[in-house]
Amino acid sequence: MVVWIASSNQGKINEFKSLLFSKNIELKTPKNLKNYFSPKETGETFEENARIKARSLRSMVDGDSWVVAEDSGLGSFRP
């Protein structure tokens, strides 16, 4: 299983790695993509901003992958 983390913050990425350690999960980040640019975080809440990031990255990755975003709260998006 592939899980994409919609963050370039290495501290956040390390937190996710520690949570998913020993699981059969391949972790990827926007750095794995050539043409990805972070979206503007225009939401009024942490949850809205996490959803913006998750949806933006989701549009760029394989349909079988999960995408998770964090913005001092946790949001995820999978169709």
Side-chain angles (χ1 to χ4, degrees):
M1 170 186 243
V2 175
V3 175
W4 287 84
I5 307 300
S7 179
S8 59
N9 180 310
Q10 193 59 50
K12 289 180 185 180
I13 294 166
N14 290 342
E15 287 181 41
F16 280 106
K17 283 181 180 179
S18 70
L19 289 170
L20 300 174
F21 182 74
S22 80
K23 307 290 188 242
N24 190 21
I25 295 174
E26 180 182 359
L27 217 58
K28 293 190 175 186
T29 70
K31 290 179 182 178
N32 293 104
L33 299 172
K34 293 180 183 178
N35 299 318
Y36 182 78
F37 296 96
S38 295
K40 291 185 179 182
E41 296 179 28
T42 57
E44 294 184 15
T45 66
F46 292 136
E47 181 179 355
E48 288 175 4
N49 284 332
R51 287 182 187 277
I52 289 168
K53 290 188 282 190
R55 287 183 173 130
S56 175
L57 183 56
R58 181 82 195 109
S59 71
M60 301 283 296
V61 301
D62 179 340
D64 291 334
S65 301
W66 281 76
V67 175
V68 178
E70 190 277 338
D71 197 78
S72 297
L74 188 64
S76 64
F77 179 75
R78 183 167 194 242

